Amino acid sequence: MAGHSHWAKVRHYKVISDARKGKLFSKLSREITVAARLGGGDPDFNPRLRRAIQAARAESMPMENIERAILKGTGQLAGEAWEDVCYEGYGPGGVAILVQALTDNRNRTAAEIRSIFARHGGNLAGVGSVAWLFQKRGVVLIEGGEVPEETIWEAALEAGAEDIRASDEGWEVITPVEKLESVQRALESAHVPIQSASLAFLPQTLVPIEDPDTARSVLRLCDALEAHDDVQHVYSNFDIASDILAEEARR
């Protein structure tokens, strides 16, 4: 199974503690603030903000938290000056890893991310070292079973989707970056239940990891990176058997 979506599935299997939920809310708030700062506070005219709010609502984040984050982004409330940064590196088994973060101190975050890679058998690499192994795409996740498959295909493809893939939970609709918003709206108009819509880095090729110990080392590195306060998303091109992923999820 590939690192793009299936590591996220493993994470969802785990029980989320109050502390982890608080950290998740902090990361979601940070994304909302940056989206509002870059594109304005109206989600109808700011696709990034709209997606950030949808992600926050999907995690039951209180509306007052969402509104406060927007006000920080538009400058109506004081807040930190967050900026987007991306780190590239390699993990155990030679897997490529992309880390997206929001930080108010580039030097601090870079040093801490480098340390996480080193502690888990990986290494932080230079800009451009692994980014070429990924493609930036829109990904719409759809819950399965409620809408006929033909409805999903027709709405998504007519709106410009590139591919539609079956998953354990339903469907993944893959779009060009510039078509994500139109595909999402087309699916919503067709009354398709959307779980989430986001931009992601999809691996072009996968690295098989057959040794269980190496697989666990890769997953623990990804877990440690995701746990960092500044990290928003972790993408990798690992291909790990589902039984190993399931075992890790139970830990």
Side-chain angles (χ1 to χ4, degrees):
M1 291 191 176
H4 153 59
S5 62
H6 295 286
W7 174 244
K9 185 172 69 175
V10 170
R11 305 291 290 111
H12 285 305
Y13 284 156
K14 297 187 176 182
V15 175
I16 299 179
S17 66
D18 290 342
R20 176 167 285 179
K21 197 73 171 179
K23 181 176 288 189
L24 174 61
F25 283 177
S26 177
K27 293 186 178 190
L28 292 167
S29 293
R30 198 174 295 184
E31 171 61 20
I32 291 170
T33 295
V34 171
R37 175 169 59 84
L38 295 177
D42 188 344
D44 289 335
F45 298 96
N46 184 342
R48 179 172 176 175
L49 178 59
R50 181 176 181 231
R51 292 192 297 271
I53 292 173
Q54 289 172 336
R57 287 177 173 171
E59 297 294 344
S60 302
M61 185 173 171
M63 275 304 301
E64 62 185 61
N65 294 35
I66 294 173
E67 292 168 354
R68 184 164 57 249
I70 293 173
L71 292 176
K72 287 182 179 180
T74 57
Q76 295 168 270
L77 286 178
E80 297 85 351
W82 304 111
E83 60 177 320
D84 288 299
V85 290
C86 185
Y87 302 100
E88 306 175 37
Y90 292 96
V95 301
I97 297 176
L98 281 181
V99 180
Q100 286 186 310
L102 291 172
T103 180
D104 60 349
N105 187 324
R106 280 176 171 263
N107 292 334
R108 171 186 53 77
T109 302
E112 292 172 355
I113 296 300
R114 185 184 302 277
S115 177
I116 292 173
F117 269 98
R119 289 200 310 270
H120 291 83
N123 63 281
L124 192 64
V127 175
S129 57
V130 304
W132 61 276
L133 295 169
F134 297 81
Q135 291 181 322
K136 192 173 186 180
R137 290 292 185 269
V139 180
V140 182
L141 300 183
I142 298 171
E143 300 173 4
E146 297 186 26
V147 176
E149 179 180 340
E150 295 78 10
T151 300
I152 297 172
W153 278 86
E154 181 178 352
L157 294 178
E158 285 187 0
E162 287 183 344
D163 193 14
I164 301 175
R165 306 170 184 172
S167 69
D168 292 341
E169 295 79 15
W171 302 90
E172 293 182 353
V173 179
I174 311 302
T175 80
V177 171
E178 68 277 6
K179 292 291 186 179
L180 175 58
E181 188 72 10
S182 60
V183 170
Q184 180 181 356
R185 292 187 183 278
L187 290 168
E188 289 171 343
S189 296
H191 305 291
V192 174
I194 294 176
Q195 182 178 346
S196 67
S198 62
L199 294 175
F201 287 92
L202 308 186
Q204 299 187 67
T205 58
L206 300 177
V207 176
I209 303 295
E210 299 177 356
D211 175 62
D213 289 337
T214 301
R216 281 189 284 271
S217 295
V218 170
L219 295 177
R220 287 168 186 168
L221 170 56
C222 290
D223 199 9
L225 289 168
E226 285 194 342
H228 190 280
D229 288 343
D230 293 345
V231 171
Q232 299 293 103
H233 303 288
V234 177
Y235 303 101
S236 183
N237 64 348
F238 62 72
D239 188 4
I240 296 175
S242 58
D243 58 334
I244 299 176
L245 287 177
E247 179 185 348
E248 184 66 16
R250 291 192 293 268
R251 290 177 179 271

